Amino acid sequence: MSNGRVFVDITTSLDGFIAGPNDGPELGLGEGGERLHQWVYDLASWRAPHGLAGGKTDRDSEILDEAFRRTGAVVLGKRMYDNAGGWGDNPPFHVPVFVLTHEARDAEAKEGGTTFTFVTDGIESALQQARAAAGEKDVSIAGGANTIQQFLKAGLIDEMQIHIAPLLLGGGIRLFGDLGTGQIELKATGVIESPEVTHLRFRVAK
Amino acid sequence: MSNGRVFVDITTSLDGFIAGPNDGPELGLGEGGERLHQWVYDLASWRAPHGLAGGKTDRDSEILDEAFRRTGAVVLGKRMYDNAGGWGDNPPFHVPVFVLTHEARDAEAKEGGTTFTFVTDGIESALQQARAAAGEKDVSIAGGANTIQQFLKAGLIDEMQIHIAPLLLGGGIRLFGDLGTGQIELKATGVIESPEVTHLRFRVAK
């Protein structure tokens, strides 16, 4: 099973956007951005960590649940944290979360097992702390795009699961941007099709 | 079967590039760009229209062949034509090709049934001519990115088959760019997985 791997699990439009234009604290995922995640909101495995009962238990739900269960710790960027308003009193992570930021700030312990630790000394430090917190589980690099790109450029991502929502957003925040790294080889490790979304799995060649 | 549909059939990297950095007449598909098409060169259905015998006849080959057989005419941009040096004496299209350009130029009839007609009065005119030439077959909008984007913005694309090659190019020419259209809904109509490439099919919602 999983064992300290570092992974990205994220939904994009076919044109590669993870948020629409004008994302931020007011618009959240930007214009059209919520549409990207339409496939998750009815799933039991999305509803449970958000404190909601019921929901569908189909293959999409299993895939989301697998990602949730393998996650022992999360790394994300401060912009994502701010855009989500800190996810309220009971955030959906339920594991230690390490937030990349430039300003030192006290850690926060929320309900339901989520802790936020603010890391000011870079991605390698955040990953080291996340690995320690995750134990035998995996570390999720949750976003935003800039954070994921930093980890990719540093060669620190082992696996990616990209959920392609069937739409073009036409603008917004790109998952990959222009990495400027030259070619990075991947290995396609699985494709799962559902009416709502196409799940693509890749390993990053090392 | 097909009946005058307008489609795009193109290979991209996972980060959405159809050519690497510095594409042009010298480097062709740019740095790393040839890697995108690695999956086609050994296929019987790629080799035959290029005048080469033999090759693999697997599912990838069938998919390429299906796209070839449905194509009654092609529209492409002058930059693509120039980057390919006009494809020599016996181009791999073997159908009428309509080249979008700003400079009037005499039509060219090549060996093997390919004709190049240079269209100076815009995409709708090119499409009208291509439809007439295609008869009951479909029209392929072959590229480059700018041409495909023009057709998408004008709402003229019915279907897309995107072949995702398992790599990140990190830079180059994006298939979709920033369309600036707002949201365009698609319907995922099929996924076919192979070791070399993942084929995704979409219909454009009208």
Side-chain angles (χ1 to χ4, degrees):
Chain A
M1 249 209 61
S2 54
N3 205 338
R5 284 175 296 179
V6 179
F7 74 100
V8 168
D9 184 286
I10 199 159
T11 300
T12 79
S13 59
L14 181 63
D15 50 350
F17 295 103
I18 59 169
N22 302 312
D23 72 312
E26 279 168 36
L27 268 182
L29 290 168
E31 295 156 28
E34 288 298 326
R35 165 66 186 87
L36 288 173
H37 298 273
Q38 186 176 299
W39 70 276
V40 304
Y41 301 125
D42 289 337
L43 303 180
S45 63
W46 183 86
R47 296 176 60 85
H50 287 82
L52 302 166
K56 290 194 287 188
T57 55
D58 56 9
R59 189 74 185 99
D60 287 339
S61 189
E62 284 169 20
I63 287 170
L64 200 70
D65 193 45
E66 284 161 21
F68 183 76
R69 282 188 287 107
R70 69 184 285 195
T71 302
V74 172
V75 176
L76 53 82
K78 180 65 161 36
R79 187 164 185 274
M80 181 176 175
Y81 173 93
D82 287 339
N83 283 1
W87 288 277
D89 293 332
N90 191 342
F93 301 103
H94 309 292
V95 293
V97 177
F98 297 86
V99 183
L100 292 162
T101 181
H102 296 291
E103 284 175 56
R105 176 165 162 168
D106 289 342
E108 301 169 356
K110 299 295 188 95
E111 294 168 24
T114 301
T115 58
F116 290 110
T117 302
F118 296 86
V119 179
T120 57
D121 53 351
I123 62 171
E124 308 236 0
S125 168
L127 181 56
Q128 195 177 0
Q129 294 177 60
R131 275 190 200 282
E136 304 225 322
K137 287 194 168 185
D138 294 337
V139 173
S140 165
I141 310 300
N146 183 273
T147 295
I148 291 171
Q149 290 168 25
Q150 285 185 58
F151 276 91
L152 270 171
K153 285 183 197 179
L156 297 172
I157 304 290
D158 298 313
E159 296 173 13
M160 295 193 285
Q161 179 161 266
I162 312 290
H163 314 280
I164 297 189
L167 78 158
L168 302 173
L169 269 179
I173 305 287
R174 288 188 186 285
L175 172 54
F176 293 113
D178 279 53
L179 289 169
T181 47
Q183 199 170 319
I184 297 175
E185 281 289 322
L186 309 172
K187 183 168 168 44
T189 53
V191 177
I192 300 155
E193 189 184 0
S194 91
E196 301 289 329
V197 69
T198 305
H199 313 279
L200 304 180
R201 290 173 176 172
F202 298 93
R203 265 207 310 274
V204 182
K206 300 279 174 169
Chain B
M1 251 206 64
S2 54
N3 205 337
R5 284 173 296 179
V6 180
F7 74 99
V8 168
D9 184 285
I10 200 161
T11 301
T12 79
S13 59
L14 181 63
D15 50 352
F17 296 103
I18 60 169
N22 303 311
D23 72 312
E26 279 168 36
L27 268 181
L29 290 169
E31 297 156 26
E34 288 298 326
R35 165 67 186 86
L36 287 173
H37 298 272
Q38 188 176 296
W39 70 276
V40 304
Y41 300 124
D42 289 337
L43 303 180
S45 63
W46 184 86
R47 296 175 62 83
H50 288 81
L52 302 166
K56 290 193 287 188
T57 55
D58 56 8
R59 189 73 186 100
D60 287 340
S61 188
E62 284 169 20
I63 287 170
L64 201 67
D65 193 45
E66 284 161 22
F68 183 76
R69 281 187 289 107
R70 70 186 285 195
T71 302
V74 172
V75 177
L76 52 83
K78 180 65 162 35
R79 187 166 187 273
M80 181 175 175
Y81 174 92
D82 288 338
N83 284 0
W87 287 277
D89 293 331
N90 191 342
F93 301 102
H94 309 293
V95 293
V97 177
F98 297 86
V99 183
L100 293 161
T101 181
H102 296 292
E103 283 175 58
R105 177 166 161 167
D106 288 342
E108 301 169 356
K110 300 294 189 96
E111 296 167 24
T114 301
T115 56
F116 290 109
T117 301
F118 297 86
V119 179
T120 56
D121 53 350
I123 62 172
E124 308 235 0
S125 168
L127 182 56
Q128 195 178 359
Q129 295 178 60
R131 275 190 200 280
E136 302 228 322
K137 289 194 166 187
D138 294 337
V139 174
S140 165
I141 310 299
N146 184 272
T147 295
I148 292 170
Q149 289 167 28
Q150 284 185 58
F151 277 91
L152 271 170
K153 285 182 196 179
L156 296 173
I157 304 290
D158 298 312
E159 296 173 13
M160 295 193 284
Q161 179 162 264
I162 312 290
H163 314 282
I164 296 187
L167 78 157
L168 301 172
L169 270 179
I173 305 287
R174 288 188 186 287
L175 172 55
F176 293 112
D178 280 53
L179 290 170
T181 47
Q183 199 170 318
I184 297 176
E185 280 290 321
L186 309 173
K187 182 164 170 47
T189 53
V191 178
I192 299 157
E193 189 183 1
S194 90
E196 302 289 330
V197 67
T198 306
H199 313 279
L200 304 180
R201 290 173 177 173
F202 297 94
R203 264 207 311 273
V204 181
K206 301 277 173 170

